[in-house]
Amino acid sequence: MAILGIDLGTTNSLIGAVDSGFPILLANAEGHRSIPSAIHFPDSGDPVVGEAALRQRALSADRVVTSVKRLMGKRLAEVERDRHPYPLTADNEGYVRVALGNKGSLSPEEISALILKELKASAEAAMGTTMDRAVITVPAYFNDAQRQATKRAGGLAGLTVERIVNEPTAAALAFGLHRSKDHARIAVYDLGGGTFDISILEIHDGVFHVLSTNGDTYLGGDDIDHAISEHLWQAYQSNKFTLAEQDATLQIKFRAEAEAAKIALSEASSQLIRMPFVEADKHFEYTLTRETLDQLARPIVERTKALCLRALHDAKLKLDQLDEVLLVGGSTRMPLVRQFVTDLFQQEANTSQHPDETVAMGAVIQGGILSGTLRNIVLLDVTPLSLGIESFGGLMNVIIPRNTTIPAKAGEMFTNAVPDQTSMLVRVLQGEREMARDNWELGQVEVPFTPGPKGSARIGVQFQIDENGILEVLTRDTKTNTDTVLEVKNAAIDVDDKRVEAMISESVDHAFDDMSERVFTEAKLKSEELLPAVDQALALIGDQLDNTDRQEIQDATEAVKQALANRNATELKQANAELDDATQQLAALLMQKALADASA
Ligand code: AMP
């Protein structure tokens, strides 16, 4: 049976399926292939989705939910600053919910489910059959929680989500690049209404591999509309107040004119804007030229440059190694954007696909591959952010680095830092920051183990990401073979014991390979071992040293303590090394004593 392909977008959503061997997008009853991702919750009656919901915005802004995709899998604290026109609240765990007055509150996935239900119903009407399996696309930068939330939304809408696919990967499929060459490296430049996303992919013998991704969740055509409407407002008023300081109705009017003019200027070189009765009896007319538009938009478009260069760098590619640059997203229709991309990548961008429909079309094709109606294409994706756990000293210990091809499995062995410790707290983190506190916490689990001397515990921690980018964490006390499994919300747990054992033995070999970044913590741990050992040795055989040696050790010990207090990594490493040197004689004496004791 056919599998639906869905682009669940921030501003607009689309749906399609393979019909008689052709991937097609399905129109709703009004004949539109794209519906606004907007939901109106009236005081009484059922919620309304799409164009009709948007029309209610001017009347009851607090009851029209738009851009709900931005809230998916997020905590209230993360989105509070974003100024949504509707009120937000939080559940017990701090995850965001949309407050709907007398209607209580709904989670972002419950609201997204309403959009999905609407899409599903119109697809079923168009195809004349019920359909309950789907592929849904998400931005490449979506983290685990956001992907999970998207999957849950599908479930709530009565859909089995067979695969979550990164949007740029879907776009590359839609461009049909799997057919064009045996081997190609491509960039997907996706500038939509509210977000920007750049991805570098490699296609080899029909296999898609995402080499790197980057983006900005607050960069897109909306910013350009904002710049134009402020410019129009200044032309209208010529006073010191900004449009942002005016009432909502005026802002909406100017925004709508700004966007319409921007769209017209993708074809025309100038556009007359007419706003009769802007305010009471005031009229406004203004001619916006392409040149002025470009001046306003350029600083916004240029913000994509650094993100593109970073993605190329992460993919370890030079500009001239790219075979294709694909344009996706409505804003790439702007001539300025096309020219900018051509200049940046030093090649003509590929504009052969409909920029608003490419991602949905790719989802449909992926659905076709999964249902067996389209063959010979495999898809591999990558982790958009590094995954790891918090280790000693509050550092991020990366277990699966950013841009690892998924599905993936990796692990490390950890031990106890303190004698007689009975458990270890594993905090699962996602992000690129060095310190654990700056990264996203996906969950935590307390792992019990047999108490013993420092360094005696052997705790294997394994991360497994499935083909949807969903994470499962398994920890094992290898002494007792006791497993603890962390379910990152709704994740299916599927543990293969043999591979776990193999992972653990491999990880023993590499347990401390990845410690180089922990310079200070590592040095500090070393000092914390050295200082008490030196004290003990001095108490035991210190009297056998001459005064100079003893003074040297004392000075070196002080230097370590001072460097610890200064929290200076380089100084501490140096001081540790000097203390090591200064205690050579002491160590030799200890060894002699140990040998003498043993033979006595
Ligand atoms: P998307 O998020 O991909 O649907 O893109 C929506 C954005 O594309 C909005 O900011 C639109 O104003 C913009 N857009 C759509 N069509 C055009 C066009 N012909 N020229 C310029 N911008 C456009």
Side-chain angles (χ1 to χ4, degrees):
M1 208 187 44
I3 297 179
L4 293 164
I6 300 175
D7 171 6
L8 182 60
T10 310
T11 355
N12 295 302
S13 295
L14 300 88
I15 192 163
V18 175
D19 189 12
S20 313
F22 293 99
I24 53 161
L25 294 181
L26 300 164
N28 64 7
E30 287 84 49
H32 297 137
R33 285 199 296 250
S34 158
I35 60 161
S37 306
I39 309 97
H40 174 226
F41 293 90
D43 270 337
S44 59
D46 292 334
V48 180
V49 178
E51 206 63 61
L54 268 194
R55 284 197 290 270
Q56 296 298 321
R57 204 154 47 164
L59 298 171
S60 57
D62 59 337
R63 283 300 182 85
V64 178
V65 180
T66 53
S67 300
V68 69
K69 187 170 179 177
R70 292 190 184 285
L71 306 178
M72 296 287 271
K74 295 267 178 100
R75 289 189 163 84
L76 180 60
E78 292 173 276
V79 294
E80 252 168 347
R81 280 176 301 152
D82 301 342
R83 287 210 293 146
H84 292 269
Y86 41 87
L88 300 176
T89 169
D91 69 11
N92 294 342
E93 292 176 61
Y95 285 96
V96 69
R97 293 179 72 82
V98 177
L100 296 163
N102 60 355
K103 302 214 139 180
S105 69
L106 287 176
S107 67
E109 46 266 50
E110 284 168 327
I111 295 173
S112 295
L114 295 171
I115 302 173
L116 291 171
K117 260 190 199 154
E118 178 81 16
L119 291 169
K120 179 176 184 280
S122 65
E124 287 176 338
M127 296 285 281
T129 175
T130 54
M131 301 178 83
D132 53 13
R133 297 164 72 199
V135 167
I136 305 182
T137 57
V138 296
Y141 50 76
F142 253 30
N143 63 30
D144 199 59
Q146 292 167 298
R147 284 163 199 264
Q148 293 272 19
T150 305
K151 241 190 145 176
R152 279 202 299 281
L156 291 170
L159 292 166
T160 305
V161 181
E162 301 285 345
R163 189 68 62 94
I164 298 276
V165 178
N166 281 342
E167 287 163 9
T169 305
L173 266 179
F175 271 86
L177 291 173
H178 53 288
R179 289 191 296 264
S180 60
K181 273 185 192 168
D182 290 347
H183 185 212
R185 293 186 184 114
I186 59 175
V188 181
Y189 181 101
D190 180 353
L191 190 62
T195 59
F196 171 65
D197 197 356
I198 173 80
S199 306
I200 313 289
L201 318 181
E202 188 168 47
I203 306 170
H204 197 52
D205 287 338
V207 176
F208 282 63
H209 183 170
V210 182
L211 298 178
S212 68
T213 63
N214 218 303
D216 185 333
T217 41
Y218 290 92
L219 179 57
D222 294 350
D223 298 293
I224 298 171
D225 300 346
H226 178 75
I228 303 167
S229 52
E230 281 294 350
H231 174 82
L232 295 180
W233 176 257
Q234 291 309 323
Y236 166 64
Q237 279 280 318
S238 300
N239 66 21
K240 63 183 173 10
F241 297 108
T242 66
L243 180 58
E245 289 162 323
Q246 310 308 312
D247 76 54
T249 319
L250 260 184
Q251 288 181 27
I252 290 172
K253 271 191 197 166
F254 273 83
R255 273 292 184 101
E257 290 298 329
E259 185 179 10
K262 173 189 76 175
I263 291 174
L265 286 172
S266 286
E267 304 293 333
S269 56
S270 73
Q271 177 69 9
L272 176 64
I273 296 163
R274 276 207 182 96
M275 297 175 73
F277 307 107
V278 185
E279 286 174 293
D281 58 346
K282 284 201 207 162
H283 309 298
F284 175 53
E285 275 196 11
Y286 182 83
T287 300
L288 185 68
T289 61
R290 169 92 60 84
E291 205 182 338
T292 309
L293 169 66
D294 287 358
Q295 277 167 12
L296 293 167
R298 182 171 291 282
I300 296 159
V301 177
E302 285 198 336
R303 282 166 54 200
T304 64
K305 183 174 176 176
L307 304 167
C308 291
L309 296 178
R310 167 114 198 256
L312 263 179
H313 175 266
D314 284 353
K316 301 188 178 58
L317 289 183
K318 300 227 162 27
L319 278 171
D320 59 6
Q321 291 175 294
L322 284 176
D323 298 297
E324 292 273 359
V325 180
L326 311 184
L327 292 188
V328 178
S331 300
T332 63
R333 285 212 177 83
M334 293 180 72
L336 171 80
V337 174
R338 295 190 168 189
Q339 192 56 47
F340 173 83
V341 175
T342 301
D343 293 346
L344 174 62
F345 289 96
Q346 292 160 24
Q347 62 172 289
E348 201 71 41
N350 184 335
T351 55
S352 65
Q353 294 298 304
H354 194 307
D356 309 317
E357 298 186 347
T358 327
V359 169
M361 194 53 106
V364 172
I365 293 170
Q366 175 64 43
I369 297 165
L370 291 176
S371 63
T373 37
L374 301 171
R375 290 176 199 282
N376 298 333
I377 313 163
V378 189
L379 270 190
L380 294 180
D381 267 347
V382 297
T383 52
L385 294 170
S386 300
L387 291 159
I389 69 170
E390 178 174 350
S391 64
F392 305 136
L395 282 165
M396 166 78 164
N397 187 72
V398 173
I399 292 190
I400 297 186
R402 171 183 151 75
N403 288 331
T404 299
T405 304
I406 61 168
K409 214 176 207 186
E412 261 189 54
M413 192 68 88
F414 294 87
T415 189
N416 57 323
V418 183
D420 297 324
Q421 204 175 322
T422 56
S423 67
M424 178 172 108
L425 181 69
V426 174
R427 285 184 67 213
V428 180
L429 305 168
Q430 186 169 40
E432 307 303 316
R433 306 281 299 270
E434 290 304 327
M435 298 309 291
R437 64 164 186 270
D438 295 324
N439 287 319
W440 173 290
E441 183 181 314
L442 295 180
Q444 48 173 266
V445 62
E446 192 83 29
V447 184
F449 52 78
T450 333
K454 175 175 183 278
S456 63
R458 285 273 174 277
I459 307 296
V461 176
Q462 179 193 263
F463 277 35
Q464 177 175 330
I465 311 177
D466 70 11
E467 60 278 3
N468 293 323
I470 286 170
L471 171 71
E472 298 163 15
V473 179
L474 172 90
T475 60
R476 172 171 295 181
D477 177 355
T478 57
K479 283 195 170 163
T480 58
N481 266 351
T482 317
D483 291 352
T484 313
V485 177
L486 175 64
E487 294 186 31
V488 176
K489 262 196 179 173
N490 284 8
I493 303 300
D494 174 24
V495 182
D496 178 333
D497 271 359
K498 278 214 180 84
R499 297 179 74 181
V500 171
E501 297 291 4
M503 175 285 294
I504 287 173
S505 58
E506 267 173 33
S507 65
V508 173
D509 299 337
H510 300 103
F512 294 104
D513 274 3
D514 203 18
M515 302 257 278
S516 60
E517 283 172 7
R518 316 171 174 202
V519 185
F520 182 75
T521 311
E522 194 183 48
K524 179 167 169 269
L525 288 172
K526 176 148 195 212
S527 313
E528 284 167 359
E529 258 173 40
L530 269 177
L531 292 174
V534 170
D535 278 351
Q536 264 179 15
L538 279 178
L540 207 63
I541 45 164
D543 53 353
Q544 294 177 34
L545 291 175
D546 62 31
N547 280 349
T548 330
D549 277 349
R550 243 201 323 270
Q551 189 58 46
E552 204 184 321
I553 293 175
Q554 221 153 42
D555 291 348
T557 307
E558 275 315 308
V560 169
K561 288 182 182 161
Q562 192 54 52
L564 271 174
N566 293 348
R567 298 190 62 80
N568 181 325
T570 325
E571 192 186 326
L572 186 56
K573 270 176 77 178
Q574 175 78 18
N576 279 340
E578 279 167 13
L579 181 57
D580 247 347
D581 276 353
T583 52
Q584 290 297 324
Q585 177 65 7
L586 185 65
L589 286 172
L590 255 190
M591 184 64 79
Q592 275 171 20
K593 179 169 165 25
L595 286 174
D597 288 351
S599 59

